[in-house]
Amino acid sequence: MEEKKLRQYDFLTSIILILFGIWDLAQAFKMPMKDSYGGVESVWYVSPALFPLFIGGGIILMGAILLINSIRTGGAARFIDSLKHVSEAKLTNETVRVLTVLLALGSFIYILIPNIDFFLSITLFLFFLCTAFYPDHDEFRRTFVIHFIIGMAVFLILIVTGLSDIINGILKYNMDILALLFIIYMNVAARKMAKAREIPVKLIRQVTIVSIVVPLILCPLFRYFLLVPLPVEGGILKLMNLLYYTIR
Amino acid sequence: MNFVESLQIFFVNIGGMLISPSILLILFGSVIMGIIFGATPGLTATLGVALLTTLTYGMDASTAMVALMGIYVGGVYGGSYTSILVNIPGTAASAATALDGYPLACKGQAGRALGLTTTSSAIGTFIGMIFVVALAPVISALALQFTSFEFFLLALFGIVISGTLTSHDLVYKGWIAGFIGLFLSTIGRDSLQFFPRFTFGMSDLEGGLDLVPVLIGAFGIPQIMTSIRDNFKVGETHKFKRIVPDFKTIAGNTPSILRSSLIGVGIGAVPGIGEDIAGWVSYGAAKRASKHPEEFGNGAVDAVISTETANNSCIGGAMIPLLTLGVPGSPPAAMLLGALLLHGIQPGPMLTIDHPTFILEITAILLLASVAMWVCGILLAKQVIKVLKIPTSIFMPVIAVLCVIGSYALGMRVFNLYLMLPLGILAYLMSEMKYPIAPLIIGVILGNMCDANLRRALMVSKGSFEPVFTRPVSLVLFLIIVLMIVGQIPYFQNLQRKLTSRLSFLRKSEIEGNAEATADCQDHE
């Protein structure tokens, strides 16, 4: 980031830091200072608030220095000026790429891992993230991401409303079956989209292989060799367990 | 333990490892993995150590250290591959190597350049190891005399110096990062009164933040985001037939190797700053000492040797404060600290008492790792380069899965993942705004040491800060911290500049006066 932009953002971060420091101090003042806690009479220098006070004070001080520097160098004025043109601002390609990665990681961690079979979660995550970037085609990525967002929104609604429990109550692995169907749908959609845009379908095939092979190596490695119980052991992992313990 | 006994234990350790095929397999495997991590732009030795820590979960502490030291040594060395062959540093540690390594490759000497970096890296690691074995017991013995005030100031010193030296923009951005790290360390029940701080009533936060997810989040997630964002492509690598060790050139550069090793060990021992700074400082020193500084940047052999010796000797340097004081000397050492704690080993002054042979074990592992690195470097370079052909858009998502599974597997808590991602986003935004990440990590690691020792010290002194000024080590640390902070204030910087120019003027006039006096004497005669 260039110097001018840095000073501009310094203005924003300094305000965030000062506010954060004030919040930290406010929280620290709520901690026992000299009074008794758990039946033990305390003194100020043993108080659990002492260190948070030191940190809060330090953050406010440094935030203030950053703020002064930003005002002196004209960063604050530029930042305020840029606010007037917020409506005209456009998302850069780089920002879109970062947001796509965050979308993938966010949905993987907060939606898939706690609710769907771990094997399927990894497959879906890898298939989405690799397919979005491997063909290196912006228009393809945009359409593909929209499909993924809609799918994840459906999963989120099912989970938040508790419908997922009802669905799983009908048949134990219904949510996993739903995830599997979504992976298949995404795969077919990606192939169709690739064909329409003259992207070699070979790339989608390679991504499919990677997104199946990686969890096929990692899940047994962690589950059977490192003896780590995986977050959700749904349909696929239960099938793996059955195979593994039958062979053993 | 006397010298002969130490030597005996050292060789018994080496012998034990050499006769165990599984240990050798782990050693060579982890070194190769390290080289791949180092050679791949976007992946670092720190991330390599972080991800491998998960796989060492079921191993005993010694075997785990073989794997982790192996990947650390290999990771620091591996960066030189892409520096030389494509002019893109695989890691920040090898950025200085690219300046002269790539021109050497352009001259058709890629094999020779790789041979030189391989041998000098091995020598650097070996010299770093000698310093670990020589200095660690001395510092440990000294640290046993430390009281809580010294430990508090030492932790604070670590954060301040790491912030000062790693910041690429304003110095206090490094300190801000350190303070954010300190804040993160206060989350959970405090260690003296067990009062829940910043837990928001969540039981998952009561035990504090687990170190490994924090490290993986802070180092791994930003790298994944940056690599995919920039759509990084390695490009065509320079071709070479075989790697030539070129011992003759190495022998001819002995002074440069010794100087760079000392720089590497010294910089490694400073908390929080690592191999990248060692490489650059050593490059500058080699250029100043060279008889042909004009060759630097055009394929100077001594430049390549000095940077690679320094960044690998930094490993030994970083291990010294880690093992003796519990203060990590570099980001990968911070990750090693997490791994050691995971295996029930508490680094610090008590390490020599609780595990008397542990430092010797580490030195033996460092020696074997440097040999393994040399062998792998000479024999397998061509094969390792092939990994660079895997596209980033395929490789990085797989690394993301490894980060996620690594963060989860150590505590077996999905909650760690919920924390890892926001921390990763925070680290990404901070690094975009030129806030260094190393002080943040040092803050998280040293926060508890800082907090508990400050309060313990004040408890003993009944709230008085007087011991800071009456105890010599405390006073020295305090003065260094104050000078480092004050040194950043413009008024004092101007004062320092004025004083320096005044002193040089006085010295100049003194020399001129002496010259005039000599001339007068000669006239009289």
Side-chain angles (χ1 to χ4, degrees), chain B residues 201-235:
Chain B
M202 294 160 85
S203 58
D204 280 310
L205 284 177
E206 295 217 338
L209 304 185
D210 281 351
L211 192 56
V212 176
V214 171
L215 290 172
I216 292 181
F219 287 116
I221 301 294
Q223 274 168 10
I224 292 160
M225 286 163 72
T226 318
S227 301
I228 297 180
R229 181 196 67 191
D230 298 340
N231 192 21
F232 196 80
K233 283 178 185 132
V234 169

Side-chain angles (χ1 to χ4, degrees), chain A residues 21-92:
Chain A
I22 293 169
W23 172 82
D24 180 82
L25 288 185
Q27 292 294 315
F29 280 119
K30 286 181 195 166
M31 294 172 192
M33 291 290 281
K34 287 171 97 173
D35 16 276
S36 113
Y37 172 67
V40 181
E41 279 300 322
S42 191
V43 269
W44 69 266
Y45 48 80
V46 201
S47 163
L50 185 68
F51 201 53
L53 284 174
F54 169 70
I55 295 167
I59 288 178
I60 291 175
L61 180 72
M62 283 181 283
I65 297 170
L66 198 63
L67 179 68
I68 292 166
N69 185 59
S70 165
I71 293 169
R72 266 189 193 163
T73 51
R78 276 195 300 277
F79 180 80
I80 292 162
D81 190 50
S82 71
L83 287 179
K84 291 171 193 164
H85 309 287
V86 164
S87 55
E88 297 158 27
K90 278 184 180 174
L91 282 177
T92 61

Side-chain angles (χ1 to χ4, degrees), chain B residues 212-482:
Chain B
V212 176
V214 171
L215 290 172
I216 292 181
F219 287 116
I221 301 294
Q223 274 168 10
I224 292 160
M225 286 163 72
T226 318
S227 301
I228 297 180
R229 181 196 67 191
D230 298 340
N231 192 21
F232 196 80
K233 283 178 185 132
V234 169
E236 269 305 299
T237 55
H238 268 273
K239 299 274 181 289
F240 61 94
K241 276 183 183 165
R242 65 186 188 92
I243 291 188
V244 192
D246 199 358
F247 293 115
K248 206 177 160 189
T249 311
I250 292 284
N253 279 284
T254 310
S256 180
I257 286 174
L258 289 175
R259 184 184 52 244
S260 306
S261 301
L262 286 175
I263 292 172
V265 171
I267 287 174
V270 178
I273 59 167
E275 294 78 16
D276 47 344
I277 294 175
W280 283 114
V281 174
S282 173
Y283 184 85
K287 193 175 177 180
R288 273 193 300 276
S290 172
K291 285 174 190 162
H292 304 286
E294 71 284 354
E295 283 178 10
F296 276 62
N298 300 315
V301 167
D302 41 346
V304 173
I305 292 173
S306 66
T307 53
E308 283 302 307
T309 312
N311 63 28
N312 269 70
S313 62
C314 198
I315 298 170
M319 294 306 290
I320 298 171
L322 173 70
L323 296 171
T324 57
L325 304 167
V327 177
S330 67
M335 201 51 246
L336 275 177
L337 174 69
L340 283 173
L341 294 174
L342 190 81
H343 287 280
I345 290 170
Q346 175 75 52
M350 293 302 286
L351 184 72
T352 46
I353 294 162
D354 295 336
H355 305 273
T357 59
F358 190 72
I359 291 175
L360 288 168
E361 266 178 56
I362 292 288
T363 51
I365 293 168
L366 263 177
L367 177 67
L368 287 183
S370 67
V371 175
M373 184 213 81
W374 190 83
V375 174
C376 293
I378 294 290
L379 299 177
L380 299 174
K382 270 193 172 177
Q383 278 63 40
V384 169
I385 298 288
K386 285 177 188 161
V387 178
L388 298 176
K389 286 181 182 157
I390 302 174
T392 314
S393 46
I394 297 282
F395 202 50
M396 280 301 167
V398 177
I399 295 297
V401 170
L402 289 175
C403 284
V404 166
I405 205 166
S407 291
Y408 163 78
L410 290 173
M412 283 180 234
R413 293 199 305 166
V414 179
F415 188 77
N416 281 344
L417 303 179
Y418 298 161
L419 286 175
M420 183 197 74
L421 187 59
L423 280 170
I425 297 170
L426 175 74
Y428 171 76
L429 292 174
M430 283 174 73
S431 55
E432 281 300 292
M433 286 187 278
K434 299 270 187 289
Y435 287 83
I437 300 304
L440 181 128
I441 294 304
I442 297 289
V444 174
I445 291 170
L446 300 182
N448 191 38
M449 179 174 162
C450 222
D451 179 22
N453 282 297
L454 171 68
R455 288 153 70 194
R456 214 173 280 143
L458 288 171
M459 216 191 305
V460 174
S461 68
K462 301 241 182 298
S464 165
F465 283 94
E466 201 191 315
V468 172
F469 307 101
T470 52
R471 295 186 59 86
V473 179
S474 287
L475 186 63
V476 169
L477 285 168
F478 178 74
L479 287 176
I480 295 172
I481 294 168
V482 169

Side-chain angles (χ1 to χ4, degrees), chain A residues 7 10 46 48 110 136 229, chain B residues 169 173 197 231 408 418 455:
Chain A
R7 298 292 85 85
D10 280 354
V46 201
Y110 297 106
D136 202 12
Chain B
D169 188 25
K173 281 192 171 179
R197 297 186 293 196
N231 192 21
Y408 163 78
Y418 298 161
R455 288 153 70 194

Side-chain angles (χ1 to χ4, degrees), chain B residues 86-146:
Chain B
V86 235
N87 200 19
I88 298 164
T91 57
S94 61
T97 311
L99 290 182
D100 285 82
Y102 186 68
L104 271 173
C106 291
K107 288 177 193 170
Q109 297 181 32
R112 183 176 175 231
L114 281 172
L116 288 172
T117 54
T118 307
T119 312
S120 49
S121 295
I123 295 172
T125 313
F126 179 74
I127 296 176
M129 178 216 83
I130 293 172
F131 275 93
V132 174
V133 82
L135 292 183
V138 182
I139 297 174
S140 276
L142 188 74
L144 280 171
Q145 311 298 319
F146 283 12

